[in-house]
Amino acid sequence: PVKGSVHIADPYQNPFNSLLAIYFTLNDPETGTVVKLAGEVNADPNTGRLTTTVLHNPQLPFEDFRLHFFGGAGGSLRTPATCGQHTTASSLTPWSAPESGPPATPSDTWAITQAPDGGACPASQGARPHSPDLDAGSVSPIAGASTPLVVNLRRNDGSQEFSSVSLTLPPGLTGKLAGLGACSEGALAAAAQKTGNEEKSSPSCPASSRIGTVDVSAGAGPAPYHAQGTAYLTGPYKGAPLGMAIVTPATAGPFDLGTVVVRSALQLDPNSGQITAQTDQLPSILQGIPLDLRTARVMLDRPDFTRNGTSCDPYAFSGQLVSTLGQIAPLSERFQLAECGRLAFKPRLALRLIGATKRGGHPALRAVLQMPPAGANIARASVALPHSEFLDQAHIGTVCTRVQFAAEECPAASVYGAVTATSPLVDYALSGPVYLRSSANELPDLVMALKGPPSQPVEVDAVARIDSVKGGIRSTFEGVPDLPVSQVVLSMAGGKKGLLQNSTNICRGIHKATAEFDAQNGKTADFRPPLRNSKCKGKRAGKQKKQKSRAPSGG
């Protein structure tokens, strides 16, 4: 016997200028015989099946030619994913061809009888298990804290491969977009055309758009190969106001399979404020090499980016993972914050009537809500105007239907005001119209439709139920998103479009509203802000009494 070795050839620096090639070297010290053979390895781009071709072999007789590839955790080959009979085929052409006839085609059939974990052996691709695991949460689960967010997906060896993921974050868990840049479509297209080493040495996306890191592992066995990538914020993507791109150089040892760019649409629920990330299809094979992704760990660790909400109620991450066979597995991970009680809750509300002051007049209304920073967010708000103001139902004209609102086709006549809000999460003000929308209640709902600029068209809808209490009009916002706001300015029209009507001369006496605010952490703040009007200066009858209010309470 003459012994030798099998070596991996340098990619694209071999006789075939191919990604995959191997060398066979044999050395017989007794006879001084040295044999060096080069084999071109072709991987099927769809299945990954390998075919090795060795041409122009030396005309030396031999009885056996045995190749042994190392196994174990560092083995270069993986067995098929299903049990049953599998066949290795060959084609051997002699030097005497073609006169000697067609090539010989010996083959060998062998069996896979055991699953990777020793359990039941799947007979088909669809019979493989599909039960991925999810670990997710904030590094510091403290209410209102700025802290990295970690999401870790993993699957067992031999289970169905990842295809796409949808994940909805718990209420209140969000990201601070202020001060961030965005990776452009051009930069992402350039990254996809680079080699992995080129992307490593010169990232395509700007550092201002970086929001985190990614670690993915691929391959069978107990020690899959790990590769690192970077998560970037992008602009609007696939109808979502924001997107995320994960850029991963696909390099392993001497192999460079290019740069993988995986896009995700980041939807923001306008009612709950929850973020849902929906990925595009994940790559399963690159240049004929199956990736066999086993884990994907995303850490959003940009300083002061991800922020916890201010509620300590139990919530969960939820979503689903679709396999390459189209099978869906649910994802869920419990999530709960702590130390909510330390957050203060001190909202301030100023109300002002503008225009008509006499009985029967229709004044405009301006309401300004201010929230101190670093406190608990609002969960519920109710404002009841005094008896001096009531709802003039004769001025309720056109109302936007729910269908029209969902399609963003509300008629212009259903707009009765405007709203602007600022938040520490963004650099810009969110603004929009105030609609009357059809409701299951006796009166239509008041909807403040806030929206960001075209570069980040995030939407938040604040819906108030309108009713009457003690002869006055009341607006109640239930289920307010657990999102921080600095200021909200509401301007309701007056005159012919005004919904409010004076029941008395509002310059006589002091008229106070009743405001009740509940925080996400359970605290409350109830007070009675005066309904001011600049035209009434010096005209109010009687002495102005000091405003009484109930201090914020709750645990």
Side-chain angles (χ1 to χ4, degrees):
V2 178
K3 295 184 178 181
S5 302
V6 181
H7 302 269
I8 294 175
D10 199 2
Y12 303 109
Q13 301 294 323
N14 55 65
F16 316 103
N17 193 32
S18 61
L19 173 68
L20 300 175
I22 53 178
Y23 296 136
F24 310 102
T25 62
L26 299 99
N27 184 6
D28 183 6
E30 295 185 3
T31 63
T33 302
V34 176
V35 177
K36 296 181 179 180
L37 304 177
E40 182 179 10
V41 181
N42 290 298
D44 187 288
N46 298 312
T47 66
R49 188 177 187 183
L50 300 174
T51 300
T52 302
T53 303
V54 183
L55 300 175
H56 309 298
N57 296 305
Q59 297 189 54
L60 297 175
F62 65 89
E63 295 180 358
D64 296 295
F65 193 94
R66 178 176 298 177
L67 297 177
H68 172 74
F69 293 92
F70 299 138
S76 57
L77 299 178
R78 189 197 76 177
T79 56
T82 58
C83 293
Q85 300 294 315
H86 302 275
T87 300
T88 301
S90 69
S91 175
L92 304 179
T93 303
W95 281 99
S96 57
E99 290 81 1
S100 58
T105 56
S107 62
D108 184 44
T109 300
W110 40 281
I112 296 292
T113 60
Q114 184 175 328
D117 59 0
C121 205
S124 65
Q125 295 282 354
R128 291 184 296 156
H130 183 46
S131 54
D133 293 320
L134 169 68
D135 293 325
S138 298
V139 172
S140 178
I142 304 300
S146 177
T147 174
L149 169 67
V150 179
V151 176
N152 189 18
L153 287 169
R154 61 180 184 275
R155 66 177 186 86
N156 292 329
D157 199 5
S159 61
Q160 296 184 34
E161 292 85 4
F162 301 155
S163 177
S164 64
V165 182
S166 175
L167 189 65
T168 299
L169 274 57
L173 187 58
T174 186
K176 183 180 178 181
L177 304 177
L180 274 179
C183 188
S184 67
E185 295 295 320
L188 293 172
Q193 298 300 316
K194 287 183 178 180
T195 67
N197 288 319
E198 287 173 342
E199 180 62 25
K200 282 183 178 180
S201 62
S202 179
S204 301
C205 294
S208 62
S209 64
R210 178 198 172 279
I211 58 176
T213 59
V214 181
D215 182 281
V216 294
S217 67
Y225 181 80
H226 287 259
Q228 285 71 46
T230 306
Y232 297 99
L233 184 74
T234 75
Y237 184 64
K238 289 191 172 180
L242 297 167
M244 181 175 68
I246 294 177
V247 180
T248 306
T251 59
F255 298 104
D256 188 336
L257 304 182
T259 300
V260 177
V261 178
V262 176
R263 304 288 301 272
S264 297
L266 300 180
Q267 294 283 2
L268 178 69
D269 188 302
N271 297 306
S272 68
Q274 288 178 266
I275 298 172
T276 296
Q278 173 64 63
T279 73
D280 288 349
Q281 184 172 340
L282 306 177
S284 60
I285 190 168
L286 290 178
Q287 300 185 43
I289 299 179
L291 298 183
D292 195 13
L293 291 176
R294 296 279 298 283
T295 65
R297 183 177 187 269
V298 180
M299 174 177 277
L300 302 183
D301 58 0
R302 184 183 181 92
D304 201 31
F305 175 60
T306 52
R307 292 192 171 191
N308 293 331
T310 60
S311 169
C312 285
D313 291 339
Y315 294 116
F317 290 83
S318 61
Q320 64 181 25
L321 192 149
V322 182
S323 75
T324 53
L325 299 177
Q327 295 188 20
I328 298 175
L331 299 172
S332 182
E333 176 73 348
R334 188 178 185 277
F335 178 83
Q336 189 169 16
L337 299 173
E339 300 187 21
C340 287
R342 67 181 178 81
L343 298 174
F345 184 58
K346 297 180 180 180
R348 297 193 297 270
L349 178 65
L351 301 172
R352 182 177 295 276
L353 294 177
I354 303 169
T357 61
K358 295 182 179 180
R359 185 178 184 275
H362 294 84
L365 173 70
R366 176 181 170 87
V368 179
L369 171 68
Q370 292 182 316
M371 295 292 296
N377 298 325
I378 298 172
R380 176 185 176 276
S382 177
V383 178
L385 297 180
H387 299 169
S388 60
E389 301 302 322
F390 65 92
L391 178 65
D392 187 352
Q393 297 195 38
H395 276 209
I396 298 179
T398 304
V399 175
C400 183
T401 68
R402 290 180 174 272
V403 174
Q404 290 173 326
F405 187 84
E408 299 185 356
E409 296 177 350
C410 287
S414 64
V415 177
Y416 292 83
V419 62
T420 299
T422 57
S423 169
L425 298 181
V426 292
D427 291 318
Y428 45 82
L430 286 82
S431 59
V434 178
Y435 299 101
L436 284 185
R437 191 181 71 181
S438 57
S439 168
N441 302 309
E442 182 179 352
L443 295 173
D445 289 336
L446 184 76
V447 182
M448 299 189 298
L450 294 159
K451 191 171 185 178
S455 58
Q456 289 183 350
V458 296
E459 297 182 19
V460 177
D461 297 330
V463 182
R465 173 174 52 85
I466 301 175
D467 63 358
S468 178
V469 57
K470 296 181 180 181
I473 182 174
R474 179 175 63 180
S475 299
T476 303
F477 295 86
E478 303 279 1
V480 178
D482 189 4
L483 299 174
V485 294
S486 302
Q487 178 176 274
V488 179
V489 179
L490 170 66
S491 298
M492 298 298 296
K496 295 181 179 180
K497 196 71 173 177
L499 298 176
L500 300 180
Q501 186 173 12
N502 299 330
S503 64
T504 183
N505 187 330
I506 61 175
C507 289
R508 296 176 180 173
I510 298 176
H511 309 283
K512 295 181 179 180
T514 300
E516 299 176 352
F517 287 83
D518 298 339
Q520 294 284 345
N521 65 352
K523 292 185 177 182
T524 61
D526 300 344
F527 49 95
R528 300 198 63 198
L531 204 58
R532 302 185 184 278
N533 191 313
S534 59
K535 288 188 176 182
C536 295
K537 288 183 178 180
K539 298 181 181 180
R540 293 189 183 276
K543 296 181 179 180
Q544 293 190 4
K545 299 180 180 180
K546 184 177 181 181
Q547 178 185 345
K548 295 181 180 179
S549 64
R550 180 165 66 85
S553 63

